[in-house]
Amino acid sequence: QIISDESRRLSRLVRRMLDISQIQSQEMKKEDFDLCESMRLALLSMEQKITDRELDVEADIPEEPVMVEGVNDLITQVIYNLLENATKFARKGSALYLGVTTLNGKALISVRNEGDTIPAEEIPLLFERFHKSDKSRSEDKDGVGLGLYVVKTILDQHKEHIAVTSENGLTTFTFSVTLAGGQTAQ
């Protein structure tokens, strides 16, 4: 059983490394797409995990499209990875938030959960390859420490930014995506 589990873990690790290599070598063919639709799809794909953790979801996603520039599949992957992490580390039975606002030509997407506060000294390390906090190592047997590294790699390719705050049991990841040509902040 141990050998089988370790083989599966190594297989996941190799797949993630290949994904990262492909992202880094990919020529960016940006297009305009509806960010709200990508957010809804990522949220729907997380439905079972959210239900298993008995989380309440607060989705602040407008009905009307928020058009942005980028690679739709990659930005959807960023949203999915952040939701997956937020779900995994949320206190069971708490709330999970996914929302978007616009400001100064950017869409700002936030993912927030209620759970343990991330120590300030650990926040800069979150996006490093293979980084896993001591707590997650013992609880998360499936993770390989690459989800947030993938997020950072994709956002770097898009020349976008991500910020993290974690205080009083609320952790929020917020990243930017450039609004499609001509849209202004609301």
Side-chain angles (χ1 to χ4, degrees), residues 3 10 12 20 25 28 43-44 56 67 75 79 81 85 95 114 119 128 146 148 155 161 166 168 174 185:
I3 292 169
L10 288 172
R12 284 190 304 274
I20 291 167
S25 67
M28 296 294 292
L43 197 54
L44 281 172
D56 289 325
M67 299 302 290
I75 296 300
I79 298 165
N81 284 14
N85 259 25
E114 300 172 19
E128 290 186 6
L146 288 172
L148 292 178
L155 293 175
H161 302 283
S166 190
N168 303 320
T174 303

Side-chain angles (χ1 to χ4, degrees), residues 170-185:
L170 285 179
T171 300
T172 306
F173 286 78
T174 303
F175 71 96
S176 63
V177 180
T178 302
L179 292 172
Q183 279 195 69
T184 58

Side-chain angles (χ1 to χ4, degrees), residues 42 105 164:
V164 184

